């Protein structure tokens, strides 16, 4: 057992200032609310806080097609009418609108997940958190489901440089289709998604029969659920499946997508999990004591998203939080009760015991088809991506200074490593 987990937490306030549109359910403002709640509970004093680098186009193109990345970089609300064919080709529109600072938004949230993976790879932390990440629907050549760049795939690709096997776990109410698709033909990543399936629920994939193909056969696990699943049903199934997955697959690192749209009362969700039930999954995964990268994901009742991810930050820090929310810049959003925990609702659980038992047996049977953890002939570890150098004197000294001064920066002297490729030691105080 490790004496004390070292936690790295990635945040850039600019990620919460973008606006998808008045009627769009995705509100990145929830990230500012989460961060200020984390600060109000003094959790930042127990972690190292980093501003992520903005991922370069060459980094994003490690998964995405270069033409798609270039288009995201070029398109603006003012010019989109000139590119109607490309908008259709890349699936940009109602669900995935073009808005001001779209590409910078993608660079920041993807940079956070890439940086998190690199710190884990270099053993500079045990757990890395990027609540801005977790955009699991984005595909190689197109946007999907409010997601433009798939930061999770990019983070997993980083982890694969140092780990023979990476386990991806997804507790968003929607199927983690983009991540599953990216690794569907390999045994080096096992994807496990717990999600609502059926009734034409987005994205329409994630049947238990989807198990991977070729070398990846049996390395994609889907747990399709019906409306109203509650804490006891969900956590029992989660613990049974994940414990068997870890025992069988023996991953070197875990990526956990904590989409909060699986909570009761979510604007787009249909599950009935309390924050405690959701957080119990995080706590369970933490107990494996493996390098752990934790991201956000969906979540469309933003005050509950902030509550959930703050509680889960506490869980990762082994810190129990008082239920009364402390004073913070967003306190009015938590009225009238100003409490941290949100109970589940009165929704009927349509997941019968026999249905859940059938799903569980199907998953465990597929796991038995894996004789043992696959062996990987490890090559020399490739270097981190080449990052172009820039002259700090040429940078605008006024650029984003307000956010820099607002951010808090905690560092411990023993957390850094020597070398030219230490991009992590960034003074943002």
């Amino acid at each position: 057992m490790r004496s004390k987990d070292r936690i790295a937490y990635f945040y850039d306030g600019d990620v919460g200032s973008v606006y998808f549109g008045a009627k769009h359910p995705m509100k990145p403002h929830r990230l500012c609310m989460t961060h200020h709640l984390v600060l109000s509970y003094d959790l930042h004093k127990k972690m190292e806080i980093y501003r992520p680098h903005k991922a370069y186009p060459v980094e994003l193109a490690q998964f995405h097609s270069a033409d798609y990345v270039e288009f995201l970089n070029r398109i603006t609300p003012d010019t989109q009418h000139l590119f109607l064919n490309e908008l259709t080709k890349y699936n940009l529109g109602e669900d995935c609108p073009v808005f001001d600072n779209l590409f910078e938004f993608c660079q920041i949230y993807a940079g956070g997940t890439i940086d998190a993976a690199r710190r884990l790879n270099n053993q500079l932390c045990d757990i890395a958190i990027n609540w801005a990440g977790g955009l699991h629907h984005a595909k190689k050549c197109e946007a999907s489901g409010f997601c433009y760049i798939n930061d999770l795939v990019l983070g997993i690709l980083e982890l694969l440089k140092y780990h023979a096997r990476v386990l991806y776990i997804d507790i968003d109410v929607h199927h983690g289709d983009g991540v599953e698709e990216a690794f569907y033909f390999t045994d080096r990543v096992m994807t496990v998604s717990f999600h609502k399936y059926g009734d034409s629920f987005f994205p329409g994939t994630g049947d238990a029969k989807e198990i991977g193909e070729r070398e990846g056969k049996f390395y994609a696990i889907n747990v399709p659920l019906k409306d109203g699943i509650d804490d006891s049903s969900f956590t029992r199934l989660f613990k049974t499946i994940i414990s068997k997955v870890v025992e069988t697959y023996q991953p070197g690192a875990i990526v956990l997508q904590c989409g909060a749209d699986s909570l009761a009362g979510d604007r787009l969700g249909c599950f009935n999990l309390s924050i405690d039930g959701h957080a119990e999954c995080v706590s369970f995964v933490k107990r494996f004591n493996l390098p752990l990268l934790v991201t956000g994901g969906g979540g469309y009742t933003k005050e509950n998203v902030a509550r959930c991810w703050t509680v889960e930050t506490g869980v990762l820090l082994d810190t129990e939080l008082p239920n009364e929310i402390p004073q913070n810049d967003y306190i009015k959003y938590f009225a009238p009760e100003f409490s941290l925990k949100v109970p589940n609702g009165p929704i009927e659980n349509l997941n019968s015991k026999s249905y859940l038992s059938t799903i569980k047996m199907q998953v465990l049977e597929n796991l038995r088809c894996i004789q043992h953890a696959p062996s990987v002939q490890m090559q020399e570890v490739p270097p981190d991506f080449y990052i172009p150098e820039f002259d700090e004197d040429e940078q605008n000294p006024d650029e984003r200074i307000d956010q820099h001064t607002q951010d808090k920066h905690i560092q411990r002297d023993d957390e850094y490593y020597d070398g030219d490729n230490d991009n992590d030691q960034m003074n943002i105080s």
Side-chain angles (χ1 to χ4, degrees):
M1 188 75 180
R2 291 191 293 247
S3 58
K4 190 75 176 164
D5 286 317
R6 299 165 301 159
I7 317 284
Y9 170 102
F10 293 87
Y11 178 74
D12 184 324
D14 289 352
V15 84
S17 62
V18 298
Y19 188 53
F20 276 62
K23 294 182 179 176
H24 200 288
M26 176 61 95
K27 308 292 184 189
H29 182 239
R30 67 202 179 128
L31 299 165
C32 298
M33 292 170 61
T34 301
H35 184 64
H36 280 264
L37 205 50
V38 165
L39 295 180
S40 74
Y41 278 105
D42 284 342
L43 295 178
H44 58 290
K45 295 178 179 176
K46 301 183 177 188
M47 306 185 285
E48 301 208 331
I49 313 293
Y50 297 99
R51 179 193 299 278
H53 85 287
K54 289 183 193 171
Y56 289 87
V58 67
E59 294 178 281
L60 304 180
Q62 296 300 306
F63 170 58
H64 294 283
S65 64
D67 61 308
Y68 173 55
V69 172
E70 194 274 330
F71 185 73
L72 286 178
N73 195 4
R74 181 160 43 105
I75 193 72
T76 69
D78 294 335
T79 61
Q80 61 179 324
H81 67 281
L82 303 172
F83 299 99
L84 297 180
N85 289 339
E86 288 89 344
L87 291 175
T88 302
K89 175 183 177 183
Y90 298 124
N91 198 32
L92 297 171
E94 193 174 353
D95 271 4
C96 301
V98 176
F99 51 81
D100 288 327
N101 301 313
L102 166 61
F103 193 65
E104 183 185 38
F105 171 69
C106 295
Q107 288 179 293
I108 293 170
Y109 78 71
T113 301
I114 292 168
D115 285 351
R118 288 181 183 158
R119 285 197 77 78
L120 289 167
N121 280 345
N122 289 292
Q123 299 179 6
L124 296 172
C125 63
D126 304 303
I127 298 170
I129 303 170
N130 178 28
W131 293 126
L135 279 73
H136 58 172
H137 295 307
K139 308 296 199 304
K140 181 183 177 72
C141 302
E142 66 177 45
S144 176
F146 318 158
C147 306
Y148 302 84
I149 292 293
N150 199 315
D151 62 290
L152 293 157
V153 172
L154 295 169
I156 290 168
L157 289 172
E158 280 293 304
L159 292 170
L160 287 172
K161 293 179 180 180
Y162 285 73
H163 299 283
R165 292 174 299 281
V166 174
L167 171 62
Y168 171 72
I169 304 170
D170 190 317
I171 58 172
D172 194 290
V173 75
H174 300 95
H175 177 228
D177 58 337
V179 183
E180 176 183 282
E181 184 179 298
F183 300 110
Y184 207 61
F185 299 110
T186 179
D187 57 7
R188 291 200 57 198
V189 180
M190 179 174 279
T191 59
V192 187
S193 179
F194 297 78
H195 51 267
K196 154 77 176 181
Y197 179 74
D199 308 322
S200 302
F201 193 75
F202 185 86
T205 52
D207 192 323
K209 296 186 182 72
E210 295 170 27
I211 58 171
E213 293 179 25
R214 303 206 294 257
E215 286 80 10
K217 189 173 184 181
F218 303 119
Y219 292 90
I221 294 175
N222 284 297
V223 184
L225 301 166
K226 303 177 191 294
D227 288 8
I229 193 159
D230 55 25
D231 289 353
S232 58
S233 300
F234 190 92
T235 55
R236 192 181 309 121
L237 188 63
F238 182 87
K239 291 176 180 180
T240 301
I241 289 173
I242 294 302
S243 56
K244 195 65 183 174
V245 162
V246 172
E247 176 193 326
T248 306
Y249 188 60
Q250 297 171 30
I254 300 178
V255 176
L256 176 60
Q257 196 268 21
C258 298
D261 48 8
S262 43
L263 292 174
D266 186 79
R267 184 173 165 189
L268 297 186
C270 53
F271 284 178
N272 196 17
L273 299 183
S274 71
I275 288 175
D276 281 338
H278 198 273
E280 177 56 35
C281 298
V282 178
S283 176
F284 187 74
V285 172
K286 178 183 185 290
R287 292 200 286 271
F288 289 108
N289 288 324
L290 289 166
L292 177 60
L293 200 169
V294 179
T295 73
Y300 306 100
T301 302
K302 59 186 183 178
E303 62 274 15
N304 289 350
V305 175
R307 287 178 166 110
C308 182
W309 292 344
T310 300
V311 168
E312 288 170 354
T313 304
V315 163
L316 294 167
L317 288 165
D318 295 316
T319 302
E320 184 116 10
L321 304 179
N323 197 35
E324 185 177 343
I325 291 177
Q327 184 61 42
N328 69 85
D329 289 356
Y330 298 95
I331 191 74
K332 67 176 189 284
Y333 287 95
F334 304 102
E337 67 282 358
F338 302 106
S339 60
L340 190 60
K341 299 293 176 69
V342 175
N344 43 15
I347 309 169
E348 181 187 0
N349 185 358
L350 299 182
N351 299 270
S352 66
K353 286 187 175 176
S354 62
Y355 174 75
L356 294 175
S357 178
T358 300
I359 293 295
K360 179 182 73 175
M361 297 314 295
Q362 206 169 347
V363 169
L364 297 180
E365 182 59 39
N366 287 341
L367 278 171
R368 275 194 283 275
C369 295
I370 300 172
Q371 296 303 312
H372 49 78
S375 61
V376 175
Q377 185 70 39
M378 294 301 285
Q379 309 295 328
E380 183 179 349
V381 176
D384 287 342
F385 297 131
Y386 166 71
I387 305 300
E389 293 185 3
F390 60 86
D391 185 349
E392 289 189 8
D393 293 335
E394 294 178 6
Q395 300 293 90
N396 180 353
D398 297 323
E399 187 182 4
R400 299 169 65 211
I401 190 72
D402 290 343
Q403 188 59 52
H404 275 279
T405 51
Q406 286 171 31
D407 282 347
K408 296 180 189 287
H409 177 57
I410 311 299
Q411 70 176 59
R412 272 191 353 215
D413 293 338
D414 61 348
E415 280 300 288
Y416 299 114
Y417 62 102
D418 296 325
D420 294 334
N421 64 339
D422 183 0
N423 297 317
D424 300 301
Q425 189 168 355
M426 305 170 71
N427 184 2
I428 60 172
S429 57

Short mmCIF file of all heavy atoms in Angstrom, two decimals, residues 380-402:
data_model
loop_
_atom_site.label_atom_id
_atom_site.label_comp_id
_atom_site.label_asym_id
_atom_site.label_seq_id
_atom_site.Cartn_x
_atom_site.Cartn_y
_atom_site.Cartn_z
N GLU A 380 11.77 0.14 -27.49
CA GLU A 380 12.29 1.33 -26.84
C GLU A 380 11.17 2.37 -26.76
O GLU A 380 10.42 2.57 -27.72
CB GLU A 380 13.46 1.90 -27.65
CG GLU A 380 14.11 3.11 -27.00
CD GLU A 380 15.28 3.64 -27.82
OE1 GLU A 380 15.70 2.93 -28.76
OE2 GLU A 380 15.74 4.74 -27.52
N VAL A 381 11.04 3.03 -25.62
CA VAL A 381 9.96 3.99 -25.44
C VAL A 381 10.19 5.19 -26.35
O VAL A 381 11.25 5.81 -26.31
CB VAL A 381 9.89 4.47 -23.97
CG1 VAL A 381 8.83 5.56 -23.80
CG2 VAL A 381 9.60 3.29 -23.06
N PRO A 382 9.19 5.53 -27.18
CA PRO A 382 9.36 6.71 -28.03
C PRO A 382 9.37 7.97 -27.19
O PRO A 382 8.80 8.00 -26.11
CB PRO A 382 8.13 6.67 -28.94
CG PRO A 382 7.12 5.87 -28.20
CD PRO A 382 7.89 4.89 -27.36
N PRO A 383 10.00 9.03 -27.68
CA PRO A 383 10.04 10.27 -26.89
C PRO A 383 8.68 10.94 -26.87
O PRO A 383 7.82 10.64 -27.70
CB PRO A 383 11.04 11.14 -27.66
CG PRO A 383 10.95 10.64 -29.07
CD PRO A 383 10.67 9.16 -28.97
N ASP A 384 8.47 11.84 -25.87
CA ASP A 384 7.28 12.67 -25.90
C ASP A 384 7.30 13.49 -27.18
O ASP A 384 8.35 13.72 -27.77
CB ASP A 384 7.25 13.61 -24.69
CG ASP A 384 6.92 12.86 -23.41
OD1 ASP A 384 6.40 11.73 -23.52
OD2 ASP A 384 7.18 13.39 -22.32
N PHE A 385 6.12 13.92 -27.61
CA PHE A 385 6.03 14.67 -28.85
C PHE A 385 6.99 15.85 -28.83
O PHE A 385 7.17 16.50 -27.82
CB PHE A 385 4.61 15.20 -29.06
CG PHE A 385 3.59 14.13 -29.19
CD1 PHE A 385 2.41 14.18 -28.46
CD2 PHE A 385 3.79 13.06 -30.04
CE1 PHE A 385 1.47 13.18 -28.58
CE2 PHE A 385 2.85 12.06 -30.17
CZ PHE A 385 1.68 12.12 -29.44
N TYR A 386 7.56 16.13 -30.00
CA TYR A 386 8.39 17.32 -30.14
C TYR A 386 7.50 18.55 -30.00
O TYR A 386 6.50 18.67 -30.70
CB TYR A 386 9.08 17.34 -31.50
CG TYR A 386 9.68 18.69 -31.84
CD1 TYR A 386 10.80 19.15 -31.16
CD2 TYR A 386 9.10 19.51 -32.80
CE1 TYR A 386 11.34 20.39 -31.45
CE2 TYR A 386 9.63 20.75 -33.10
CZ TYR A 386 10.76 21.19 -32.42
OH TYR A 386 11.28 22.41 -32.70
N ILE A 387 7.84 19.43 -29.10
CA ILE A 387 7.08 20.66 -28.90
C ILE A 387 7.92 21.82 -29.41
O ILE A 387 9.03 22.05 -28.94
CB ILE A 387 6.76 20.88 -27.41
CG1 ILE A 387 6.04 19.65 -26.84
CG2 ILE A 387 5.93 22.15 -27.23
CD1 ILE A 387 4.75 19.33 -27.51
N PRO A 388 7.42 22.58 -30.39
CA PRO A 388 8.19 23.71 -30.91
C PRO A 388 8.51 24.71 -29.80
O PRO A 388 7.70 24.94 -28.90
CB PRO A 388 7.23 24.35 -31.93
CG PRO A 388 6.22 23.29 -32.24
CD PRO A 388 6.11 22.44 -31.02
N GLU A 389 9.70 25.24 -29.85
CA GLU A 389 10.08 26.23 -28.86
C GLU A 389 9.56 27.60 -29.27
O GLU A 389 9.36 27.87 -30.45
CB GLU A 389 11.61 26.27 -28.72
CG GLU A 389 12.19 25.00 -28.13
CD GLU A 389 13.69 25.11 -27.89
OE1 GLU A 389 14.24 26.20 -28.14
OE2 GLU A 389 14.29 24.11 -27.49
N PHE A 390 9.34 28.47 -28.28
CA PHE A 390 8.95 29.84 -28.59
C PHE A 390 9.71 30.79 -27.69
O PHE A 390 10.19 30.41 -26.62
CB PHE A 390 7.43 30.03 -28.42
CG PHE A 390 6.93 29.76 -27.03
CD1 PHE A 390 6.94 30.75 -26.06
CD2 PHE A 390 6.44 28.50 -26.69
CE1 PHE A 390 6.48 30.51 -24.78
CE2 PHE A 390 5.98 28.25 -25.41
CZ PHE A 390 5.99 29.26 -24.45
N ASP A 391 9.83 32.00 -28.16
CA ASP A 391 10.56 33.02 -27.42
C ASP A 391 9.60 33.74 -26.50
O ASP A 391 8.67 34.40 -26.94
CB ASP A 391 11.18 34.01 -28.43
CG ASP A 391 12.07 35.04 -27.72
OD1 ASP A 391 12.02 35.10 -26.48
OD2 ASP A 391 12.82 35.76 -28.42
N GLU A 392 9.83 33.61 -25.19
CA GLU A 392 8.92 34.22 -24.23
C GLU A 392 8.88 35.74 -24.38
O GLU A 392 7.87 36.38 -24.08
CB GLU A 392 9.33 33.87 -22.80
CG GLU A 392 9.05 32.41 -22.46
CD GLU A 392 9.26 32.12 -20.99
OE1 GLU A 392 9.47 33.09 -20.22
OE2 GLU A 392 9.19 30.95 -20.60
N ASP A 393 9.97 36.34 -24.87
CA ASP A 393 10.00 37.80 -25.03
C ASP A 393 9.00 38.27 -26.09
O ASP A 393 8.57 39.41 -26.08
CB ASP A 393 11.40 38.27 -25.42
CG ASP A 393 12.39 38.04 -24.28
OD1 ASP A 393 11.94 37.99 -23.13
OD2 ASP A 393 13.59 37.90 -24.57
N GLU A 394 8.67 37.35 -27.02
CA GLU A 394 7.75 37.73 -28.08
C GLU A 394 6.29 37.55 -27.67
O GLU A 394 5.38 37.98 -28.38
CB GLU A 394 8.03 36.91 -29.34
CG GLU A 394 9.38 37.21 -29.96
CD GLU A 394 9.64 36.34 -31.18
OE1 GLU A 394 8.72 35.59 -31.58
OE2 GLU A 394 10.75 36.42 -31.72
N GLN A 395 6.07 36.91 -26.54
CA GLN A 395 4.71 36.69 -26.09
C GLN A 395 4.11 37.99 -25.56
O GLN A 395 4.82 38.81 -24.97
CB GLN A 395 4.66 35.63 -24.98
CG GLN A 395 5.19 34.27 -25.42
CD GLN A 395 4.29 33.63 -26.45
OE1 GLN A 395 4.46 33.81 -27.65
NE2 GLN A 395 3.31 32.89 -26.00
N ASN A 396 2.82 38.15 -25.74
CA ASN A 396 2.14 39.32 -25.20
C ASN A 396 2.06 39.20 -23.69
O ASN A 396 1.41 38.29 -23.18
CB ASN A 396 0.73 39.41 -25.81
CG ASN A 396 -0.05 40.61 -25.29
OD1 ASN A 396 0.41 41.31 -24.38
ND2 ASN A 396 -1.22 40.84 -25.86
N PRO A 397 2.73 40.09 -22.93
CA PRO A 397 2.76 39.92 -21.47
C PRO A 397 1.40 40.10 -20.82
O PRO A 397 1.18 39.65 -19.70
CB PRO A 397 3.74 41.02 -21.01
CG PRO A 397 3.69 42.05 -22.10
CD PRO A 397 3.45 41.28 -23.37
N ASP A 398 0.46 40.74 -21.52
CA ASP A 398 -0.85 40.98 -20.94
C ASP A 398 -1.82 39.84 -21.21
O ASP A 398 -2.91 39.79 -20.66
CB ASP A 398 -1.46 42.28 -21.50
CG ASP A 398 -0.62 43.49 -21.12
OD1 ASP A 398 -0.10 43.48 -20.00
OD2 ASP A 398 -0.48 44.40 -21.96
N GLU A 399 -1.43 38.92 -22.09
CA GLU A 399 -2.35 37.90 -22.52
C GLU A 399 -2.75 36.99 -21.36
O GLU A 399 -1.91 36.39 -20.69
CB GLU A 399 -1.71 37.06 -23.64
CG GLU A 399 -2.67 36.06 -24.26
CD GLU A 399 -1.99 35.22 -25.33
OE1 GLU A 399 -0.77 35.38 -25.52
OE2 GLU A 399 -2.68 34.42 -25.96
N ARG A 400 -4.04 36.91 -21.05
CA ARG A 400 -4.61 36.00 -20.06
C ARG A 400 -4.01 36.20 -18.68
O ARG A 400 -4.01 35.29 -17.87
CB ARG A 400 -4.44 34.55 -20.51
CG ARG A 400 -5.12 34.24 -21.81
CD ARG A 400 -4.72 32.89 -22.37
NE ARG A 400 -5.16 31.83 -21.52
CZ ARG A 400 -4.51 30.69 -21.38
NH1 ARG A 400 -3.40 30.48 -22.01
NH2 ARG A 400 -4.98 29.75 -20.59
N ILE A 401 -3.54 37.41 -18.38
CA ILE A 401 -2.87 37.62 -17.10
C ILE A 401 -3.83 37.49 -15.93
O ILE A 401 -3.47 37.01 -14.86
CB ILE A 401 -2.16 39.01 -17.08
CG1 ILE A 401 -1.25 39.12 -15.84
CG2 ILE A 401 -3.18 40.15 -17.12
CD1 ILE A 401 -0.02 38.26 -15.95
N ASP A 402 -5.09 37.89 -16.15
CA ASP A 402 -6.06 37.82 -15.06
C ASP A 402 -6.24 36.39 -14.56
O ASP A 402 -6.25 36.13 -13.38
CB ASP A 402 -7.41 38.38 -15.50
CG ASP A 402 -7.34 39.90 -15.67
OD1 ASP A 402 -6.38 40.48 -15.15
OD2 ASP A 402 -8.23 40.46 -16.32
#
